[in-house]
Amino acid sequence: MDIALAALFDVLQIENILASMAGVFFGLFIGATPGLTISLGMVLLLPLTFALSPVTAFCLLLGLYSSGFTGGSISAILLNIPGTPSAAATAIDGHAMAKNGRAGEAIGTAVTASFFGGMFSLVCLVLIAPTIAKFALRFGAPELCALVLLGLTLICSFGQKSIIKGLISGVIGLIFMTVGLDPMVGTPRFTFGQVQLQAGISFLPALIGLFAIPQVVNGIIAGVRVIPTYHGKVAGVLPKLSNLVKLAKSMLLGACIGTGVGAIPGAGGPIAVFLSYDYISRVSKNKGEFGKGTPEGVAAPESANNGVAGGAMIPMLTLGIPGDPITAILLGALMIQGLTPGPLLFENNGQFVYSVFWAFLVANVLTLILTFATIKLWVRIHQVPSRILLPIITILCIVGSYSLRNTFFDTGVMLFFGVIGYLMNKFRFPIVPLLLAIILGPALEEHLRMSLIISQGSYAIFFTHPISLTFLVIALFSFTLPLVGPLIRKKSAEEDQDIIKKTV
Amino acid sequence: MMRRTTISAALAIIAALGILGSAFAADYPAKPVQMLIPFGAGGSADSMGRMIAKTAEKHLGQNIVAVNKPGAGGGIMLTALHEAKPDGYTIGWGSTGILTATNIGNVPFKHDVFTHVARVGFSGMPIAVRADAPWNSFEEFVAYAKENPNKIKIGNAGTGSATHLTPIFIEKELGLQFIHVPLGAKRRVPSLLGGEVEAICVPLPEVAGQVQAGKAKVLVIPSAERDPGFPDVPTMKDFGYDVVIELFRGISVPKGTPDAIVAKIEEAFKKGAQDPEFIEFAKKNSFNISFMGMDEFNNYVEPMDTKIAMVMEETGLKKN
Amino acid sequence: MRKANIIISLILLGFASFYAYLIANLPARDLPNTLGAAFVPWVLAGILAGLSVILLIHSIFAANGNQKVSLPGRELLGITFLLILIASYIKLMEFFGFVTVSIVFLTILTWLAGSRKPVEIAAFSVTTAILVYLLFHKFFQVQLPTGIFF
């Protein structure tokens, strides 16, 4: 207990609070700008941390880590451009809320839910990290394959009005992701002799293109406003207590899924976010509201988002294994500070580990306060005229997609997916299935084939592993329900529409 | 309008002269130098590269800017380096991957399109098993593998990578047969600890923490000499086998870079590798600093390349 | 909508066949005991072809709804122009440098987006170009092409 208090005292030093605050500001900015990733932000801050004490360094980095996701949601809600891949699910209902003039409420909900998810995962990290880590280690190739498959079945739920079109959109996404080096043998596939294509299609440029380019094209060609205007006050910034109680279920569900999936090395945050969005839309009382702008549709993925952050730190601190690319950089920061990450970290540097907990807490609190304080400012972005905003968005998308790997090839990828996104909107093909497929596709094939190498060619491996079997059963239900559901319940045609429709 | 064209033409000429001028070795380096890194941010290749960039730039007299070019097993970065102007302003932070990526045949050139300027050091690439594995030494491991061919699963970073070739070298030398699982760099250690594979081949820094914590043990490190951090772990040479494979890291530039510029880069990295800050960082990351200048480095790379090419040919990894 | 769906399903069928043609020409280099490099692509090609046929049949027999969907020539022209604009922006940037070309690019975009005040356009383009350059090139260390000017 003494070391916990000593660690708290340490974190509350003025320079550490300032570092945390700087990290939070930086994170909000990075997250909100399409193309600038949290990983890039961390790498830029790393050289600065050489000179800092370990605690100050982690205050800075964790500030960035916890606020980056929140920043990503702000642009998702206001502009329908997810600043981070994990914010793609938030964009669905968040932007719909903004269109209805509830942007302030949407951001308020997002921030509160993020805070909840972050706190929840922190509590798990402090209390039951070893248990979760042990469980997460049981996720091998067949388990990951089943989890990804489960994620892909969500394609059906996001199938908007036409399930066929949803499925086509998903399959096309999967096909695009087969471009590049084969994940097992390294044979170039569908690269047309281009070395650039060997790396495959990076999903960030694709994501930026799918969301942002249709906005730009519509804005310039058809004069459609990028940001919905509304008059009157920014209402409901601070969520009412009664509303929060209503959202408790969404936030808890999101936090659990986020923390759990985050702790599995190699699973990835976006799965958690989409899974939680999908599940809350199934168990919620007002299913029909999803896609039209319901706070529940913002709360669940946002809570999952920051749950992933704490979840990914579980294997990092207990096992010395990063849960995601960002915690990999945090591990690098540990090494730079001369601390050896790994199972011994807690024994050798107990007080430092407590400092990390406190620093994460402080970062979450500061993100909450700073975002609330600036919501009115953010929301006012709709007063910026389109003729200014459109060029800014365009140039940021171009430079942003370039900056991921310092190549204009990725800008080309961004434009390609931009055109696809535009055509899909036009001909009523839902975009979210394509997005899901792009995020999950490579992992599916890789883990499928890896499982078979491990089992020496036997498919039984998927059914003899209990976790994998469980996921497969859930996946089967989740795949068939949206297809069969409307047929079984032969009610009025309108109701059928509502069941299938989760408009994007 | 006319005047503006004249002015811009004049400016263009001045700028062009500036560019030409900067190619002269005497002025080098006249602007920041880009250092291409074949992996994304966060890994040990990246952090090591950024660290040496930081210490070497003090001696180069210009900023060295790290630029990540991940993808295609290093192929993207190698292609970018190959296509860059040989003026010393684009240099590559290469590793053994420079030999594996060019030999597997996904890029249309060989390692000799580059001048290998300086080797900074290397990491061992041990075979690691779980701490509770039944084998306490490499001999026991080999004995088991001999009796049970196609039983032991060894994880690697990807088909054709250095961590795949190391177990293949061992297989060939000792007449064993493993199952090679291309787990990928991210999932190697979790898969080992989770029991999915019996062994992994992995750069030492990634597994050192687990070994110290008693979660894993390393059976053999096939370096030229015993690793200073793990003096009790034998090399393959200790058993009389001619298997030496190390994960070297160093600087390569496009062929045709003027000698005087190459010499400046070599010097800067030599001094950078001796910087106390880098020495301390390397020690903590199980990276053995062992500097080689251009000639020595090329002599070191050449036989390794021949060996890798041979093994790839034999195992059918090489693309035709 | 019906006509559009029929055309789309035919295009998708064409795409599936093209994809299948590419798969058939993949080099064989596989590991033992697992699925080959062509397996997953074949499955995907099959599913896409199947779904396209379903969409085709569905659209042929569907009543012609009153939703009209079309891609007017004006829009198509607009997108093409925008793409060419961005492509030339990127190409010219490598030669002339980021800031210079960005100012021109932003000027055109701002004009397209509806601004007609020369002072506003100029002030906005110059500041944005310089700010983006400082932010990305100097602060984030993203190596933007500097070309012969800037």
Side-chain angles (χ1 to χ4, degrees):
Chain A
M1 211 56 225
D2 284 347
I3 56 167
L5 279 178
L8 175 64
F9 185 70
D10 209 359
V11 168
L12 290 180
Q13 296 294 314
I14 185 77
E15 72 264 21
N16 294 339
I17 295 286
L18 283 177
S20 190
M21 208 178 277
V24 168
F25 264 117
F26 192 51
L28 281 176
F29 175 76
I30 288 236
T33 315
L36 292 185
T37 56
I38 301 177
S39 319
L40 178 68
M42 289 239 176
V43 172
L44 288 169
L45 288 184
L46 268 189
L48 287 179
T49 66
F50 288 144
L52 300 175
S53 80
V55 175
T56 315
F58 264 72
C59 281
L60 182 70
L61 295 173
L62 290 175
L64 170 74
Y65 190 22
S66 67
S67 67
F69 290 114
T70 312
S73 326
I74 292 176
S75 55
I77 289 169
L78 293 173
L79 303 168
N80 197 21
I81 300 172
T84 54
S86 300
T90 311
I92 303 171
D93 271 277
H95 190 61
M97 280 179 82
K99 275 187 185 161
N100 300 338
R102 292 160 74 194
E105 192 190 339
I107 299 181
T109 311
V111 176
T112 318
S114 297
F115 179 73
F116 180 84
M119 285 299 101
F120 181 89
S121 64
L122 177 63
V123 171
C124 293
L125 179 62
V126 175
L127 297 181
I128 48 170
T131 321
I132 298 183
K134 221 175 187 174
F135 181 71
L137 270 188
R138 291 176 58 192
F139 275 73
E143 285 81 7
L144 284 170
C145 179
L147 177 64
V148 169
L149 197 69
L150 175 62
L152 278 174
T153 59
L154 304 184
I155 285 175
C156 292
S157 343
F158 289 102
Q160 212 172 356
K161 283 172 192 164
S162 159
I163 284 195
I164 300 174
K165 286 192 172 176
L167 289 173
I168 290 179
S169 166
V171 173
I172 289 184
L174 289 176
I175 287 180
F176 281 135
M177 292 325 270
T178 58
V179 172
L181 291 187
D182 164 289
M184 292 290 106
V185 208
T187 311
R189 296 190 298 190
F190 322 113
T191 56
F192 306 99
Q194 298 281 317
V195 175
Q196 289 277 14
L197 273 179
Q198 284 185 8
I201 287 161
S202 355
F203 67 77
L204 262 161
L207 176 80
I208 298 171
L210 280 174
F211 281 89
I213 293 297
Q215 301 270 51
V216 171
V217 172
N218 284 331
I220 287 183
I221 297 174
V224 179
R225 284 195 58 89
V226 190
I227 299 183
T229 351
Y230 55 89
H231 304 284
K233 279 188 180 167
V234 179
V237 169
L238 278 171
K240 290 196 195 86
L241 198 66
S242 58
N243 284 346
L244 279 183
V245 173
K246 275 187 215 156
L247 293 176
K249 192 162 78 174
S250 318
M251 293 199 292
L252 195 63
L253 183 91
C256 289
I257 296 184
T259 310
V261 174
I264 303 168
I271 300 189
V273 170
F274 278 101
L275 276 179
S276 59
Y277 180 84
D278 185 63
Y279 283 125
I280 194 62
S281 72
R282 281 168 198 232
V283 298
S284 164
K285 282 186 198 110
N286 33 11
K287 297 187 179 67
E289 293 301 306
F290 280 84
K292 293 176 193 158
T294 169
E296 285 176 275
V298 174
E302 275 309 304
S303 166
N305 226 340
N306 282 47
V308 168
M313 294 208 312
I314 291 176
M316 177 188 101
L317 289 177
T318 52
L319 306 171
I321 297 168
D324 65 356
I326 304 168
T327 38
I329 302 175
L330 282 178
L331 271 184
L334 270 180
M335 298 199 286
I336 288 172
Q337 292 293 345
L339 300 164
T340 315
L344 284 187
L345 185 64
F346 214 105
E347 279 169 42
N348 295 344
N349 307 85
Q351 183 174 338
F352 174 74
V353 177
Y354 274 108
S355 305
V356 171
F357 295 160
W358 290 118
F360 191 62
L361 179 91
V362 168
N364 270 290
V365 173
L366 284 178
T367 309
L368 186 77
I369 297 173
L370 281 176
T371 325
F372 270 130
T374 50
I375 285 186
K376 293 201 174 178
L377 215 80
W378 288 107
V379 174
R380 231 172 255 144
I381 203 176
H382 80 91
Q383 288 169 347
V384 180
S386 282
R387 61 177 192 275
I388 299 291
L389 207 54
L390 277 174
I392 292 184
I393 292 179
T394 316
I395 200 160
L396 282 183
C397 289
I398 294 173
V399 179
S401 52
Y402 168 84
S403 64
L404 293 167
R405 291 192 302 164
N406 293 286
T407 162
F408 281 115
F409 181 81
D410 284 340
T411 312
V413 170
M414 191 268 299
L415 290 176
F416 176 77
F417 278 91
V419 173
I420 295 213
Y422 180 80
L423 292 175
M424 284 175 62
N425 277 340
K426 202 83 199 163
F427 294 105
R428 312 250 154 80
F429 280 82
I431 287 194
V432 174
L434 178 72
L435 184 70
L436 266 174
I438 286 179
I439 293 174
L440 303 179
L444 177 74
E445 183 179 1
E446 184 182 336
H447 294 308
L448 169 69
R449 292 168 66 187
M450 192 102 71
S451 307
L452 289 173
I453 292 184
I454 288 166
S455 74
Q456 291 293 286
S458 158
Y459 285 89
I461 190 171
F462 295 106
F463 307 107
T464 50
H465 287 214
I467 300 175
S468 145
L469 182 66
T470 315
F471 281 142
L472 287 179
V473 171
I474 304 177
L476 188 71
F477 273 111
S478 137
F479 183 71
T480 44
L481 271 185
L483 290 176
V484 187
L487 298 176
I488 298 172
R489 292 176 236 187
K490 279 218 164 167
K491 290 183 185 173
S492 74
E494 263 178 37
E495 251 178 330
D496 284 359
Q497 283 294 312
D498 270 354
I499 295 163
I500 312 169
K501 186 162 54 181
K502 272 167 218 137
T503 333
V504 176
Chain B
M1 204 55 215
M2 193 55 205
R3 182 182 294 166
R4 197 177 296 167
T5 345
T6 327
I7 292 172
S8 46
L11 277 174
I13 291 167
I14 293 166
L17 284 175
I19 289 170
L20 283 178
S22 67
F24 291 118
D27 300 338
Y28 181 86
K31 58 177 186 182
V33 173
Q34 286 189 38
M35 186 172 95
L36 309 183
I37 293 180
F39 295 97
S44 61
D46 180 67
S47 50
M48 202 73 68
R50 283 174 191 270
M51 191 46 115
I52 189 84
K54 197 176 153 237
T55 54
E57 71 186 10
K58 291 186 216 159
H59 306 283
L60 192 64
Q62 268 290 354
N63 283 340
I64 300 177
V65 185
V67 176
N68 296 101
K69 292 261 182 196
I76 300 284
M77 173 274 204
L78 292 177
T79 306
L81 186 64
H82 179 44
E83 286 168 358
K85 259 187 243 153
D87 57 5
Y89 290 103
T90 313
I91 63 179
W93 176 236
S95 69
T96 316
I98 217 166
L99 306 178
T100 52
T102 47
N103 273 311
I104 204 166
N106 287 338
V107 287
F109 51 80
K110 290 276 171 275
H111 81 96
D112 54 14
V113 301
F114 304 112
T115 304
H116 306 297
V117 181
R119 184 185 90 161
V120 174
F122 66 93
S123 293
M125 282 206 286
I127 304 290
V129 296
R130 264 188 315 286
D132 58 9
W135 318 291
N136 287 316
S137 66
F138 186 61
E139 291 102 319
E140 288 176 36
F141 178 76
V142 172
Y144 179 85
K146 270 228 165 87
E147 275 170 38
N148 302 280
N150 273 321
K151 198 76 180 266
I152 296 178
K153 293 187 279 278
I154 294 198
N156 61 57
T159 304
S161 67
T163 50
H164 180 209
L165 296 177
T166 307
I168 289 185
F169 279 128
I170 295 176
E171 263 182 340
K172 289 191 143 333
E173 197 74 18
L174 281 80
L176 306 174
Q177 249 166 346
F178 302 126
I179 299 169
H180 301 276
V181 188
L183 289 168
K186 265 183 264 167
R187 291 213 33 93
R188 265 185 309 209
V189 177
S191 282
L192 178 73
L193 298 182
E196 197 165 35
V197 292
E198 282 78 31
I200 52 173
C201 178
V202 59
L204 197 48
E206 281 179 47
V207 80
Q210 306 293 343
V211 175
Q212 282 153 14
K215 299 270 174 182
K217 49 193 177 191
V218 289
L219 298 180
V220 66
I221 304 177
S223 300
E225 280 158 33
R226 289 200 177 197
D227 196 277
F230 293 84
D232 301 335
V233 180
T235 65
M236 289 299 286
K237 276 187 171 171
D238 288 345
F239 298 108
Y241 300 113
D242 179 31
V243 177
V244 175
I245 186 156
E246 299 162 338
L247 184 73
F248 70 79
R249 295 198 192 282
I251 295 293
S252 300
V253 298
K255 199 148 237 169
T257 307
D259 290 345
I261 290 179
V262 168
K264 280 189 180 174
I265 300 173
E266 186 182 332
E267 189 59 25
F269 277 87
K270 185 175 184 177
K271 287 185 178 150
Q274 291 158 355
D275 193 292
E277 199 179 356
F278 186 74
I279 292 174
E280 201 196 322
F281 182 78
K283 202 171 155 196
K284 277 172 188 153
N285 287 288
S286 302
F287 181 76
N288 308 317
I289 299 174
S290 140
F291 186 84
M292 284 183 179
M294 192 171 87
D295 298 326
E296 204 186 343
F297 190 21
N298 279 296
N299 289 338
Y300 168 81
V301 164
E302 204 51 60
M304 208 185 278
D305 181 65
T306 321
K307 229 174 165 180
I308 288 175
M310 207 174 68
V311 150
M312 285 209 173
E313 191 87 54
E314 282 174 27
T315 46
L317 285 167
K318 196 168 191 154
K319 201 181 75 175
N320 299 312
Chain C
M1 194 72 198
R2 177 173 166 240
K3 202 174 138 196
N5 277 344
I6 293 178
I7 296 174
I8 289 170
S9 52
L10 290 175
I11 292 176
L12 287 175
L13 267 178
F15 177 68
S17 345
F18 173 62
Y19 187 56
Y21 166 78
L22 292 178
I23 303 170
N25 288 309
L26 279 181
R29 181 171 70 174
D30 289 321
L31 297 175
N33 283 322
T34 187
L35 300 163
F39 177 79
V40 169
W42 274 126
V43 172
L44 294 175
I47 297 177
L48 182 62
L51 288 171
S52 317
V53 171
I54 296 176
L55 183 66
L56 182 67
I57 296 172
H58 194 75
S59 322
I60 289 174
F61 291 107
N64 202 352
N66 38 12
Q67 278 181 319
K68 261 208 120 32
V69 175
S70 62
L71 196 62
R74 207 181 67 88
E75 278 184 28
L76 213 56
L77 213 69
I79 300 173
T80 319
F81 176 73
L82 206 64
L83 287 182
I84 293 173
L85 183 69
I86 296 178
S88 27
Y89 168 57
I90 292 169
K91 269 283 146 228
L92 291 174
M93 193 196 297
E94 275 157 31
F95 186 69
F96 290 108
F98 176 79
V99 176
T100 323
V101 187
S102 293
I103 293 174
V104 180
F105 177 68
L106 284 167
T107 305
I108 300 174
L109 268 187
T110 322
W111 188 79
L112 282 177
S115 178
R116 290 293 178 274
K117 296 176 209 145
V119 179
E120 183 186 85
I121 296 182
F124 167 74
S125 306
V126 173
T127 23
T128 311
I130 291 174
L131 276 182
V132 171
Y133 175 80
L134 290 179
L135 184 70
F136 279 82
H137 194 88
K138 295 287 174 206
F139 187 64
F140 287 121
Q141 303 207 329
V142 172
Q143 297 299 297
L144 293 164
T146 41
I148 55 170
F149 294 122
F150 226 87

